Amino acid sequence: MAYKNGGGAFLVPYLVCLLVVGIPLALLEIGLGRWGGGSIAAAYQKRSPKFSWLGWWVLVNSIVIVFYYCVVLSWCVQYFVFSFTEVWGANPAAFFTDHVMHLTSGPMALGGFNWGTLAALLAVWVAIFFIIASGTKGLSRVLVVTVPLPLIILLVLAYRSIGLPGAGQGVEYLIKPRFGEIFTFSVWGAAASQVVLSLGLGMGQMVAYASRKTDDSGVAKSAVFICGLDLLFSVLAGVITFAMMGVLAQSKGVALTDLKLDGLFLAFVSYPMAISNLPWAPLWGCLFFVLLISLGIDSAFAAIEATLTGTEEMSPLTSRRKLAFMLCSFGFVGGLLFTTGAGLFWLDIVDHWVEKYAIASLIVLETIIFANSRWSTKIASHIKASWPAFPVTLWRNLLQWVVPAILVLAFGGRIIQEGFKDFLGYSGYPRTAILVGGWGVLIAVIALSMVLGRMYNRRRQNSADLSVSPS
């Protein structure tokens, strides 16, 4: 994101969006978990049964993200194994597209399954199942390892990379603002998107976890800590990555801007190429991909936990283990398309619509529905329990006016800037692929959410009737 959007020019709107969008929304979602007492669907249903489907849109959208997110995680698992022998050789780009992806000519040419990716994907989903099946105790045992481990690895990688020749020019690119690029919609859209996605906002995760707390203590502190630590972790990771890309640029005798550091190619092409020039290269490769795996598995099971919380409310008599198995099986099947030779194309299309349209829409709707004075006061009471001086009026004004305005301007302006032809002509993909993987997925998710919302209301009503009926 930073590389595509002017390095330091990206950090300025990123910090602004974190302060005026990220923290207020994190407080809102944690407050919703405490007030609603369950999933994001429960919070919307408590607000009004007619909004239940919006909560299910959040949850269904989250699991669609996990479909392809776990495929990316399966590539990390494979690359951890590849790192021992640096099997990517002198041409990591060809290795990634030809050996790992078996990339076809386009999204309509599926090709066959990539069996290595398929096996790694199954391993990822099995791991997620065992993590979430046992509830918060199982999650806690995993987090004891997967939270400190990435920080330790980042510090080791920082120590190794900062002093290398060329690292300075890479870090300078990250921290030196290019002021001409700060005032463009695309940079603000990218910054807002990064804040939202990296914090897991609009995905129901914070709501689900906050609902599991037994009281309101530490609610406000949690929101601020999450956002602050996410910022520090992101900047540290950015410094290390740009340092390594500066090393790569110097070794190739080119400028940093001439490298291809876009999206997945950064992790699976550029970084392996950079570490191949270092002594003990297999060690640094293994550490890097352990870092990505430990971060990725946390994000994946957090998204699944949000959806699982909703399904537990939908089917309270079904065991958590059985529901977890059903969700993980569904997730594995949903990811199969992305393990084909055309998987990278479909991943790009689906992710574009999920990130650009669905999540932005969900967060704007969330602020509109919950930020008015009556409901925000009820939600704020849980925050004030741990922060008596909580500035409710400022928070409410940010949610009512500033957050929607920034998101609408950032995402709407980005759509206008990129051109409305993007609706049916994104990245030159065939219209059939865009209609199926873009608009088709978006419409299907909304339709399924409406059905689930009706079912959810019916189940909740039946449960309420049973609780008050004579024995």
Side-chain angles (χ1 to χ4, degrees):
M1 284 286 198
Y3 180 80
K4 287 196 299 182
N5 293 282
F10 173 79
L11 291 184
V12 175
Y14 178 75
L15 287 169
V16 172
C17 288
L18 184 70
L19 288 172
V20 302
V21 175
I23 293 177
L25 281 173
L27 285 165
L28 172 63
E29 295 201 349
I30 290 176
L32 280 175
R34 300 299 307 131
W35 171 74
S39 69
I40 185 71
Y44 273 105
Q45 205 265 352
K46 187 173 182 179
R47 170 67 172 81
S48 172
K50 68 182 180 181
F51 292 136
S52 292
W53 73 273
L54 286 172
W56 280 100
W57 185 10
V58 172
L59 299 180
V60 176
N61 197 61
S62 293
I63 201 166
V64 169
I65 292 172
V66 181
F67 284 170
Y68 57 84
Y69 190 91
C70 284
V71 174
V72 177
L73 195 51
S74 74
W75 297 338
C76 295
V77 172
Q78 292 178 82
Y79 267 79
F80 169 73
V81 177
F82 296 153
S83 295
F84 285 98
T85 56
E86 298 177 77
V87 70
W88 50 75
N91 193 344
F95 178 80
F96 179 61
T97 57
D98 299 341
H99 179 80
V100 179
M101 295 297 308
H102 299 290
L103 199 63
T104 62
S105 58
M108 307 312 293
L110 290 181
F113 289 116
N114 301 320
W115 297 107
T117 301
L118 202 60
L121 180 64
L122 179 61
V124 167
W125 277 110
V126 168
I128 292 172
F129 167 73
F130 282 110
I131 290 169
I132 66 173
S134 56
T136 52
K137 289 184 178 179
L139 297 176
S140 299
R141 286 194 293 268
V142 173
L143 291 170
V144 165
V145 176
T146 58
V147 169
L149 180 62
L151 179 58
I152 294 168
I153 294 175
L154 276 178
L155 292 173
V156 171
L157 291 174
Y159 176 78
R160 183 68 187 90
S161 60
I162 295 299
L164 293 172
Q169 68 161 320
V171 175
E172 182 184 3
Y173 185 91
L174 173 65
I175 63 176
K176 184 177 180 180
R178 291 150 185 80
F179 290 103
E181 299 181 42
I182 290 178
F183 304 103
T184 59
F185 283 121
S186 61
V187 173
W188 282 87
S193 173
Q194 181 63 19
V195 166
V196 165
L197 293 175
S198 104
L199 291 173
L201 300 170
M203 296 178 68
Q205 301 171 18
M206 290 196 193
V207 180
Y209 282 124
S211 72
R212 303 294 173 93
K213 280 180 61 64
T214 55
D215 55 46
D216 292 327
S217 63
V219 166
K221 185 188 296 183
S222 295
V224 175
F225 269 34
I226 288 167
C227 295
L229 292 174
D230 182 73
L231 170 65
L232 292 174
F233 209 97
S234 299
V235 171
L236 176 59
V239 167
I240 294 165
T241 305
F242 272 90
M244 288 301 295
M245 293 308 102
V247 172
L248 177 61
Q250 179 154 317
S251 70
K252 294 172 70 71
V254 300
L256 191 71
T257 51
D258 294 330
L259 295 176
K260 183 178 177 61
L261 304 182
D262 189 10
L264 297 170
F265 282 87
L266 172 62
F268 300 110
V269 176
S270 301
Y271 207 93
M273 188 184 300
I275 62 176
S276 291
N277 296 318
L278 301 179
W280 296 31
L283 171 63
W284 309 118
C286 288
L287 286 177
F288 178 71
F289 288 106
V290 167
L291 168 71
L292 295 187
I293 291 167
S294 57
L295 292 172
I297 200 76
D298 285 352
S299 298
F301 72 64
I304 294 296
E305 178 68 25
T307 307
L308 181 58
T309 303
T311 55
E312 285 181 306
E313 294 163 358
M314 182 82 84
S315 303
L317 300 180
T318 308
S319 70
R320 178 184 177 91
R321 194 174 186 84
K322 185 174 181 179
L323 290 172
F325 178 78
M326 293 167 61
L327 268 180
C328 290
S329 299
F330 181 57
F332 174 73
V333 173
L336 292 179
L337 173 64
F338 306 104
T339 67
T340 65
L344 189 60
F345 302 120
W346 288 107
L347 188 155
D348 186 34
I349 295 168
V350 175
D351 180 65
H352 184 75
W353 261 258
V354 166
E355 174 252 322
K356 194 173 190 179
Y357 300 110
I359 290 183
S361 300
L362 284 166
I363 291 178
V364 170
L365 289 169
E366 183 177 280
T367 58
I368 292 171
I369 290 170
F370 290 108
N372 68 70
S373 58
R374 178 186 173 190
W375 299 102
S376 61
T377 299
K378 293 181 178 182
I379 296 164
S381 65
H382 295 275
I383 304 172
K384 285 179 70 68
S386 66
W387 185 4
F390 177 60
V392 177
T393 302
L394 173 62
W395 174 70
R396 184 186 299 140
N397 286 333
L398 286 172
L399 289 177
Q400 282 184 312
W401 308 109
V402 179
V403 172
I406 286 179
L407 291 177
V408 169
L409 286 172
F411 286 95
R414 195 166 141 202
I415 291 169
I416 294 170
Q417 190 177 53
E418 292 174 359
F420 286 101
K421 64 179 182 179
D422 179 54
F423 283 9
L424 289 175
Y426 171 62
S427 287
Y429 291 122
R431 281 192 178 181
T432 304
I434 290 173
L435 289 172
V436 172
W439 296 112
V441 168
L442 186 62
I443 292 168
V445 167
I446 292 173
L448 178 59
S449 303
M450 289 180 172
V451 172
L452 291 171
R454 289 176 66 94
M455 292 173 58
Y456 186 73
N457 287 341
R458 200 176 303 125
R459 297 284 176 89
R460 300 278 281 197
Q461 184 59 50
N462 290 341
S463 298
D465 291 343
L466 286 173
S467 66
V468 299
S469 64
S471 59

